[in-house]
Amino acid sequence: MNFTFVTLFPNLIYPYFEDSILSRAKENGLIQIDCINPRDFSVDKHKKVDDYKVGGGAGLLMSAQPLFDTLEHINSKEAYFVFPTPAGKSFTQNDAKRLSKKKHIVFVCGRYEGVDERVIEIYADEVFSVGDFVLTGGELPSLCMCDAISRMIDNVLGNEESLLEESFENTLLEAPSFTKPNVYNDSPVPSDFLKGNHAIISRLKNRMAYAKTCFHRPDLYKMVKNKRNYHAK
Ligand code: SAM
């Protein structure tokens, strides 16, 4: 899978792929990362990429020309253009799974007060928010999405089975997990985990996943309950 980041700050992107799982994925040819800087496409003699908003308003926008020319330059039939923006719908695990089937994703990272809306209207295949807060640029949201998508690609994770029990599979959060020692600072691992009975452990994990979801994410809990009631009818 190819990932292209359209960004004024490629140095924010490349180091993320220099360590750990995604560095291995890159070395093994499972993902390819490249950056294109719209500044290189600016026809302005000072290589300007921003401008004031038409009609007034605070701050600057990434202007249309450098971005249009950058995206035009990408010119790949397989390119799927994703724009991070606080105005988008929330990016979810299902989106990560779905997008992991694409061949080439292009993240268009906004800066300043965002990008000229015409670029989004013409190029965006999807727009996503990574949460109800405003960051200084689209690089972090794009890296978040790229990371979540990459780990859904076959063979990127060592143990693909771990995906099956993860949070948001079947809408639930993952059950609490423990490691050794069995008692730490007077705090024990739930005793059923220690008995080696996989059916009991699995039931316990399921109950704990429900309890954790109910506590931390009542919105998801409600969805699971509604689904179950629907299927019970
Ligand atoms: N003026 C914009 C607004 O109020 O919606 C915010 C622009 S923000 C300072 C600059 C860029 O950061 C955006 O164009 C987008 O690419 C990125 N960004 C900031 N917060 C984001 C979020 N929560 N989700 C996705 N992208 C975000």
Side-chain angles (χ1 to χ4, degrees):
M1 153 92 88
N2 287 324
F3 292 104
T4 299
F5 293 78
V6 173
T7 171
L8 296 171
F9 301 102
N11 290 341
L12 293 179
I13 302 295
Y14 287 123
Y16 190 70
F17 300 91
E18 292 308 316
D19 258 314
S20 188
I21 291 174
L22 296 190
S23 139
R24 266 198 313 277
K26 213 176 58 167
E27 271 163 27
N28 294 337
L30 299 170
I31 60 171
Q32 284 88 36
I33 307 295
D34 71 330
C35 292
I36 303 189
N37 192 334
R39 203 175 290 286
D40 296 336
F41 291 83
S42 172
V43 294
D44 178 80
K45 66 176 177 206
H46 301 297
K47 294 285 172 196
K48 222 163 76 96
V49 288
D50 55 339
D51 216 333
Y52 294 101
K53 293 178 182 172
V54 173
L60 298 159
L61 280 184
M62 285 180 83
S63 42
Q65 177 276 315
L67 275 176
F68 270 118
D69 286 2
T70 307
L71 301 186
E72 177 75 28
H73 168 83
I74 290 170
N75 189 24
S76 142
K77 280 212 178 80
E78 284 164 350
Y80 194 77
F81 292 91
V82 171
F83 284 64
T85 157
K89 81 171 181 83
S90 288
F91 184 77
T92 66
Q93 187 71 358
N94 278 340
D95 295 314
K97 241 183 245 176
R98 184 170 55 77
L99 294 178
S100 71
K101 309 289 177 237
K102 302 278 177 204
K103 293 205 163 72
H104 182 191
I105 294 183
V106 180
F107 293 109
V108 185
C109 307
R111 276 274 152 179
Y112 313 111
E113 283 310 315
V115 310
D116 186 308
E117 195 70 22
R118 289 168 292 187
V119 184
I120 301 178
E121 278 169 12
I122 290 177
Y123 269 99
D125 288 304
E126 296 198 54
V127 295
F128 285 114
S129 163
V130 293
D132 289 348
F133 46 82
V134 179
L135 295 160
T136 51
E139 286 77 11
L140 277 177
S142 299
L143 284 172
C144 284
M145 292 188 268
C146 177
D147 186 305
I149 294 166
S150 297
R151 61 199 295 289
M152 291 290 145
I153 295 171
D154 287 348
N155 303 320
V156 166
L157 293 182
N159 177 8
E160 249 104 60
E161 264 179 39
S162 62
L163 289 174
L164 299 176
E165 288 191 352
E166 264 189 336
S167 293
F168 311 114
E169 267 308 311
N170 305 319
T171 321
L172 290 171
L173 300 182
E174 187 179 46
S177 329
F178 308 88
T179 181
K180 289 180 184 139
N182 296 344
V183 180
Y184 187 75
N185 278 356
D186 295 333
S187 178
V189 169
S191 59
D192 277 347
F193 276 107
L194 308 174
K195 293 179 185 157
N197 183 327
H198 293 294
I200 291 179
I201 293 173
S202 165
R203 269 203 303 278
L204 175 64
K205 278 189 172 174
N206 193 255
R207 279 206 308 276
M208 289 173 114
Y210 270 94
K212 193 169 167 182
T213 309
C214 181
F215 185 78
H216 288 291
R217 291 291 303 271
D219 56 323
L220 293 182
Y221 184 74
K222 209 167 150 193
M223 271 165 69
V224 183
K225 282 284 185 200
N226 286 344
K227 252 194 241 168
R228 280 184 61 176
N229 290 342
Y230 177 79
H231 288 301
K233 275 180 196 166

